[in-house]
Amino acid sequence: MKKLLSLSALLFVFVMRTYSVTPELVNVLKVDGAVSELRYSNGKIFVATERGKVEVIELETRNHLLEIKYPEFEDFTGELQLPKIFSVDVSPDGKKIIAVVQASRGGREVYIYEKKQLKKIISRKKHLPIAKVRFITSDRVLFGLSGDELVLYNLSEGKIIYRNPVGMSFFSDMEVNNDKTEVAVVDESGDTKIVDIKTGKVIKIIEELNKDKVFDVDFKNGRVISGGRDKKAVFYNLKTGRYRIFYADDFMVFSVALSPSGKKGAYLYNDKFDVRIVDTETGDIISVLKGHRATPSNILFIDENQLIIGCDDGKLYIWRLKR
């Protein structure tokens, strides 16, 4: 009997330690189309969709402040279609919104929205297969190309500063660090490359942790998390060289995120669309976010205890973590 009580007590302690944070679903918002990317700046959420729009929402009031519509493109039959917005970002001064947009003949185009004006800055005729964009300064942006290349681009001069290969596979995703000096790049190889943005040179390769194609990456406070086809999320601390592997429940990890400190991580966990919140330092599971009705394609921490999950059904789930 004493052994049974002791076992029960240990189980209780384990459960309490594992699920130490209570998730609160603050709100569910709706946008027009599947969410392709989320960004956050100065109290506003910037949502890129697969139906030709970037929607801007004020986080505190949940008000829709702005809707930017992008030109339709011709598909292979000659029919006009709404374009997918592959990537979106906001300049550090908050004055420019940049977007990578689907174009005719399999092309990609880049638009800047500034002073209530939408301007095309890169045409599909430039034949740049851009998959991702990030502002480095208000006048320089970094593009990730599908051929595993990085392009640093000067907006005011309309000029490529460099175009460097970083791998030999098909590009999947990239994310810049807090001070915009380095970028983590992932691809079909499973490796994560850390690249110096100023030079475009690879300075570190994180190898043999993800064993197959990586879909998503985040980079915060000298820490990286990646999720891949091998059904696991990999956390790596660049400062210490230590890593942790978090496994999914027989489901590919399409989306991951880190909190600003990098001490909390989030990843898509199973085919019920649950998202696990983990302590990246101890490896503990601290919470599970449930109730999403479609694949969470984007996870974004606003701060240490608040995050947004964007799904393929056009819904945004705003969560708060409470102890």
Side-chain angles (χ1 to χ4, degrees), residues 3-38:
K3 287 183 178 180
L4 184 61
L5 288 172
S6 298
L7 182 60
S8 298
L10 284 171
L11 181 60
F12 176 75
V13 170
F14 175 76
V15 170
M16 290 299 290
R17 181 178 68 85
T18 303
Y19 298 99
S20 58
V21 171
T22 302
E24 177 192 1
L25 181 58
V26 177
N27 214 320
V28 180
L29 307 177
K30 178 70 175 168
V31 294
D32 183 18
V35 177
S36 51
E37 187 161 46
L38 290 173

Side-chain angles (χ1 to χ4, degrees), residues 72-238:
E72 295 179 328
F73 73 100
E74 283 190 5
D75 65 15
F76 68 95
T77 67
E79 296 291 325
L80 290 177
Q81 303 289 345
L82 294 172
K84 176 178 178 178
I85 313 303
F86 290 98
S87 185
V88 67
D89 201 20
V90 188
S91 61
D93 61 12
K95 295 180 179 179
K96 300 172 185 173
I97 300 171
I98 193 166
V100 180
V101 181
Q102 188 176 10
S104 301
R105 299 184 181 180
R108 307 283 172 92
E109 296 185 325
V110 180
Y111 289 82
I112 289 277
Y113 182 86
E114 184 181 17
K115 297 179 180 178
K116 299 183 179 181
Q117 298 288 326
L118 187 63
K119 180 182 178 182
K120 185 193 297 183
I121 61 165
I122 296 180
S123 165
R124 66 175 179 82
K125 295 180 180 179
K126 295 288 185 181
H127 302 293
L128 285 175
I130 301 168
K132 199 87 170 184
V133 62
R134 288 290 180 262
F135 272 101
I136 306 305
T137 69
S138 291
D139 195 44
R140 290 189 176 189
V141 295
L142 187 71
F143 294 127
L145 273 56
S146 61
D148 237 4
E149 296 174 289
L150 292 180
V151 169
L152 187 63
Y153 189 84
N154 186 299
L155 292 173
S156 59
E157 297 178 2
K159 180 181 176 183
I160 291 176
I161 299 168
Y162 65 68
R163 179 174 178 173
N164 287 353
V166 296
M168 300 179 66
S169 301
F170 193 82
F171 174 93
S172 292
D173 192 30
M174 71 179 192
E175 193 55 79
V176 300
N177 63 354
N178 305 64
D179 58 10
K180 299 181 185 296
T181 58
E182 296 173 355
V183 59
V185 181
V186 291
D187 54 33
E188 285 192 329
S189 72
D191 297 340
T192 299
K193 288 94 172 176
I194 308 299
V195 180
D196 179 271
I197 292 174
K198 185 177 181 180
T199 64
K201 303 298 183 184
V202 176
I203 56 177
K204 184 175 181 58
I205 302 177
I206 302 169
E207 299 178 282
E208 298 298 322
L209 296 181
N210 282 112
K211 303 293 186 181
D212 202 340
K213 177 180 179 177
V214 175
F215 298 110
D216 197 19
V217 68
D218 202 5
F219 192 3
K220 300 282 174 58
N221 194 29
R223 298 161 169 88
V224 178
I225 191 169
S226 57
R229 189 155 52 195
D230 56 359
K231 303 175 185 178
K232 60 189 181 185
V234 172
F235 169 80
Y236 191 94
N237 189 325
L238 291 165

